[in-house]
Amino acid sequence: MALAKEFLGASILERSSLISPSRTIQFHTTRRNLSSPLSTSSWRGRFPVVLKPMAAISEDFRIRTSQPSDRFDLDSTDSAKVKIRAVVTVRNKTKEDLKEALVKQLDNLTDMIGRNVVLQIVSTEIDPRKRGPKKSVEAVLKDWAKKSKVKAERVNYMAEFVVDSNFGVPGAILVTNKHQKEFFLESITLEGLACGPVHFPCNSWVQSSKDLPLGKRIFFHNKPYLPHETPAGLRALREKDLKDLRGDGKGERKLCDRVYDYDIYNDLGNPDKGIHSARPVLGGKQIPYPRRCRTGRAPSDTDMNVESRVEKPLPIYVPRDEQFEESKAGTFSFCRLKAVLHNLLPSLTTNISSKHDFTGFKHLDSLFSEGLLLNLGLHDELLKKLPKVVSKIQASQGLLKFDTPTIVAKDKLAWMRDDEFARQFLAGVNPAAIERMQSFPPKSKLDPETYGPVESALKEEHIVGYLDGMSVQEALDANRLYIVDYHDIYLPFLERINALDGRKSYATRTVFFLTSLGTLKPIAIELSLPPTGPNPNPKRVVSPPVDATTNWIWQLAKAHVCANDAGVHQLVHHWLRTHAALEPFILAAHRQMSYMHPIYKLLEPHMRYTLHINAFARQSLINGDGVIESCFTPGRYSMEISAAAYKDWRFDLEGLPSDLVRRGIAVPDGTQPHGLKLLLKDYPYAADGLLIWEAIEKWVQDYVNHYYSDPSLVVADTELQAWYSEAVNLGHADVSDALWWPKLKNPDDLVKILTILVWLASAQHAALNFGQYPYGGFMPNRPVLMRQLIPDENEPEYASFLADPQKFYFSALPSVLQTSKFIAVIDTLSTHSPDEEYLGERAQPSTWTGDPEIVEKFFEFSAAMQGIEKEIERRNSDPSLRNRCGAGVVPYELMAPSSEAGVTCRGVPNSITI
């Protein structure tokens, strides 16, 4: 009863003065005393603590039914009562369609006749008479119909409860929505308690009871509990809530469901359209792959092993709370509208006009300067044939222009320079592929009987003249040689890729030399074709140019390298290693860890929107005939390349320090700030990334050590162990037997696992995603598809190449249709929405947890992010760092934590939101 006295307070009845209005809720445990989080530290400016005034407990909040005395004993069985007020914050939709407006009016009417939103408080204590948790009498939200016309984004409703004075600590609230329409419940705050407000961060859609056969929704207060610490009154609810989220694994999921389950990637193809639309099933012994969120749709008509498709604009299932919120959906829809217009017009003009290829750089520039339609010479022709379409397009002419990509906004010719080509492997959109050469020449790991000799065509004579007087071995010993090697990942697919219409590719290797200035210069490009093809020389080495002809050949070779890099970036580093690899951990977190679990609370902001964007990708991006297949060189074999890379994926090496060591870019060094010595010192991705990695690791370590002061608690934590075991054994079932999986036996193991997950969801994804349009929006800088091989002197195409090298160059790059379609999509993918939450931020920063000490630590983490941002700004203005500062050089801001909305080439969101 001591805890009950602290919450309800004997002072209520003694009419003594109340505690200070500035006091926040304190949950005391036998484990530790928690300090107040409300000190006014200077680093709080970015995330101010909003303190709500404590509700005064007046005479109206006291009801005495049997004792006339002004005092009573809280431990007695007297029927003294206390009145509690609930402030319920509901987030309104700013736009409603006609159907939603009609349902809203119906709900207003039925609310007045008793079909209300009903709340019930559940205590942390057990009622010994009923052998269950103590519960209040149900109460309804007041004035629902009256406030329905309020146009504010957030509307507060009230409900009042009367409970016994010995009710105990309110630990959960049950919510029943008897309306027809769902609503978004942002939070509930209980006022009228002597301890101050008790917060329930909800952030969830509450479905109508007709769509929620399991009954009432359960919301827990913000106090975290390890499973064994769960108060007796909340144990059954904790188990029930998790059971509801796991579902039964049967049937097709409805859009309003909140069920998290696993499935294989069996929905990428559509065999019902014909064999050309069928795609292999990813996941299983034949083609290992991570698992995705189960939707339970019926199988296709022609293949029982393939799930039927849901094509856009119809929505694909993800658990209701994972769907985009309105502001995010609005931004995404606007960008999608732009993409539709950009895709529609080239598709129409393909049938109307013969101008499929860009005629030159000026032609390409018109996409940004004057608009797609008018300045490609298509307006008059299209006007004659489709006047109504053109009139609609003219009204939206602003949507027909692309913003000038950053790479050419500062220096229009920067993309042509070799130093810029090399710099982008350190500070561009895919800075995670470059490796230090540790031996020369490089060797293949592929089966020589199938793919030919393992030896490279690269010889010392190809590169020794570019090593500033050093021998090859001296350059290797001095850590001056680096390589981007895509030979082994592309070669097994090349024969099939090159048989596709309009696709031509090599398997490339690119060698770089580290100059005395700290920059890289490309010194050789190896281009390999399948040994079984018609080409008598399947391996070719291209060196830096010495004249006009070799300059164009060098530019074409670099374009093929970029096309290889674009495919690996999108399919492996970006999609597989962040989006797909994290989805099982997110599913397992929802299925196995309660909202009250402290580790769930830590991970929650890093899981936001990821399931939805992954579902959208399966529907429109990585699916058969989707954007990736349409725009990238591998075409229909794109996801098979991704699956092939999964065989070499290792979770234990996904952390930044381990990855840098694996690639030979860094070596362990205990004297350095991060325990690593970078061998490439001016490597913006690594240098800035290590700052963020260290801050994440410290935040996670402080958090974990707070709750697991005894190492044995990690093994004893049933929910934590079930989460990790399920993520590995079900979510990554095809590689679950690998010996490299980290163990989870102590706090250090947990810190390592969580730091990797937070890193991948935030900084790693930001570095790989938000530079796509700034760098890739200008197609010659980063072509994602090549349509011509480089002719040699004995081929008939060589004469055409010599006659007009620029025309040949553009005939090798993507067409107008492919270019406009691709840059419209990456414009969307590179955009921050207005509701983005960045690393160091989170909703309700002072109340997301009821643990004040953790709130303090979080604000320290926020301050660290601000410090990192200032350091990145300083580095970007340091002229000695030539890979991020110089004339026409794009500063490296992809790791700068904050950003404005839009395409900014900066900002680190908490989670994979796009």
Side-chain angles (χ1 to χ4, degrees), residues 100-236:
E100 289 175 324
L102 292 175
V103 173
K104 183 177 181 180
Q105 292 301 318
L106 179 60
D107 283 340
N108 292 340
L109 293 174
T110 56
D111 186 82
M112 292 186 286
I113 60 173
R115 294 193 60 83
N116 315 100
V117 175
V118 180
L119 278 61
Q120 186 176 31
I121 302 175
V122 181
S123 173
T124 57
E125 298 181 4
I126 293 291
D127 187 336
R129 293 170 297 177
K130 298 181 180 179
R131 298 184 180 180
K134 297 177 182 178
K135 297 181 180 180
S136 71
V137 175
E138 291 183 340
V140 301
L141 289 192
K142 298 180 178 180
D143 299 328
W144 185 278
K146 181 179 178 181
K147 294 183 178 182
S148 65
K149 296 182 181 181
V150 174
K151 299 300 182 182
E153 182 181 2
R154 290 170 174 81
V155 178
N156 291 329
Y157 297 91
M158 304 295 175
E160 292 184 349
F161 301 88
V162 176
V163 300
D164 291 339
S165 56
N166 60 357
F167 181 77
V169 179
I173 293 179
L174 307 181
V175 180
T176 305
N177 178 13
K178 296 182 180 180
H179 294 163
Q180 296 291 310
K181 183 182 176 183
E182 66 179 5
F183 66 90
F184 189 84
L185 178 56
E186 186 170 272
S187 65
I188 302 174
T189 301
L190 294 182
E191 299 178 341
L193 303 165
C195 62
V198 181
H199 300 288
F200 294 75
C202 305
N203 297 308
S204 178
W205 289 96
V206 180
Q207 302 299 322
S208 168
S209 54
K210 66 183 179 64
D211 293 322
L212 194 66
L214 297 176
K216 304 173 180 178
R217 283 293 309 279
I218 304 167
F219 295 100
F220 298 104
H221 66 195
N222 62 350
K223 169 63 179 173
Y225 299 105
L226 294 175
H228 73 278
E229 298 173 328
T230 309
L234 302 182
R235 289 172 190 164

Side-chain angles (χ1 to χ4, degrees), residues 742-757:
K743 305 299 182 184
L744 183 52
K745 294 183 177 180
N746 55 54
D748 289 342
D749 294 340
L750 181 57
V751 169
K752 178 180 179 180
I753 292 166
L754 294 174
T755 303
I756 291 174
L757 293 175

Side-chain angles (χ1 to χ4, degrees), residues 19-27 35-38 49-52 195-197 199 222 846-847 849-850 852:
I19 62 174
S20 168
S22 65
R23 180 180 174 184
T24 191
I25 181 170
Q26 299 287 319
F27 292 94
S35 60
S36 168
L38 303 180
V49 180
V50 179
L51 299 179
K52 299 180 180 179
C195 62
H199 300 288
N222 62 350
S846 59
T847 60
T849 177

Side-chain angles (χ1 to χ4, degrees), residues 91-366:
R91 188 186 303 164
N92 280 336
K93 290 185 67 174
T94 57
K95 295 181 180 179
E96 294 179 333
D97 57 30
L98 179 60
K99 181 179 178 181
E100 289 175 324
L102 292 175
V103 173
K104 183 177 181 180
Q105 292 301 318
L106 179 60
D107 283 340
N108 292 340
L109 293 174
T110 56
D111 186 82
M112 292 186 286
I113 60 173
R115 294 193 60 83
N116 315 100
V117 175
V118 180
L119 278 61
Q120 186 176 31
I121 302 175
V122 181
S123 173
T124 57
E125 298 181 4
I126 293 291
D127 187 336
R129 293 170 297 177
K130 298 181 180 179
R131 298 184 180 180
K134 297 177 182 178
K135 297 181 180 180
S136 71
V137 175
E138 291 183 340
V140 301
L141 289 192
K142 298 180 178 180
D143 299 328
W144 185 278
K146 181 179 178 181
K147 294 183 178 182
S148 65
K149 296 182 181 181
V150 174
K151 299 300 182 182
E153 182 181 2
R154 290 170 174 81
V155 178
N156 291 329
Y157 297 91
M158 304 295 175
E160 292 184 349
F161 301 88
V162 176
V163 300
D164 291 339
S165 56
N166 60 357
F167 181 77
V169 179
I173 293 179
L174 307 181
V175 180
T176 305
N177 178 13
K178 296 182 180 180
H179 294 163
Q180 296 291 310
K181 183 182 176 183
E182 66 179 5
F183 66 90
F184 189 84
L185 178 56
E186 186 170 272
S187 65
I188 302 174
T189 301
L190 294 182
E191 299 178 341
L193 303 165
C195 62
V198 181
H199 300 288
F200 294 75
C202 305
N203 297 308
S204 178
W205 289 96
V206 180
Q207 302 299 322
S208 168
S209 54
K210 66 183 179 64
D211 293 322
L212 194 66
L214 297 176
K216 304 173 180 178
R217 283 293 309 279
I218 304 167
F219 295 100
F220 298 104
H221 66 195
N222 62 350
K223 169 63 179 173
Y225 299 105
L226 294 175
H228 73 278
E229 298 173 328
T230 309
L234 302 182
R235 289 172 190 164
L237 288 178
R238 184 170 186 153
E239 294 175 3
K240 181 183 185 304
D241 195 43
L242 285 174
K243 183 179 178 181
D244 292 346
L245 292 170
R246 286 193 286 266
D248 59 7
K250 299 177 182 178
E252 182 174 355
R253 299 265 60 91
K254 297 183 296 183
L255 293 176
C256 62
D257 286 345
R258 297 173 57 250
V259 176
Y260 299 78
D261 206 352
Y262 303 94
D263 208 342
I264 56 179
Y265 280 72
N266 60 355
D267 63 341
L268 300 181
N270 190 351
D272 293 344
K273 287 185 174 181
I275 190 64
H276 65 281
S277 295
R279 295 294 182 272
V281 172
L282 307 185
K285 292 183 179 179
Q286 286 190 324
I287 307 181
Y289 211 64
R291 299 303 187 258
R292 50 94 172 178
C293 183
R294 178 184 178 275
T295 60
R297 297 192 301 271
S300 66
D301 294 334
T302 54
D303 190 340
M304 290 294 295
N305 297 315
V306 174
E307 191 173 77
S308 57
R309 294 273 304 164
V310 174
E311 303 293 354
K312 58 182 183 181
L314 295 177
I316 188 170
Y317 170 78
V318 292
R320 183 64 181 99
D321 289 341
E322 306 303 317
Q323 297 173 28
F324 292 160
E325 295 176 17
E326 189 176 18
S327 59
K328 171 72 172 180
T331 301
F332 198 74
S333 295
F334 175 76
C335 292
R336 187 163 55 191
L337 174 62
K338 292 173 68 176
V340 166
L341 288 173
H342 287 307
N343 294 341
L344 171 64
L345 291 177
S347 298
L348 291 173
T349 58
T350 296
N351 297 318
I352 297 171
S353 173
S354 61
K355 299 175 181 178
H356 299 293
D357 296 337
F358 290 106
T359 58
F361 291 102
K362 185 177 181 181
H363 193 175
L364 177 62
D365 289 344
S366 66

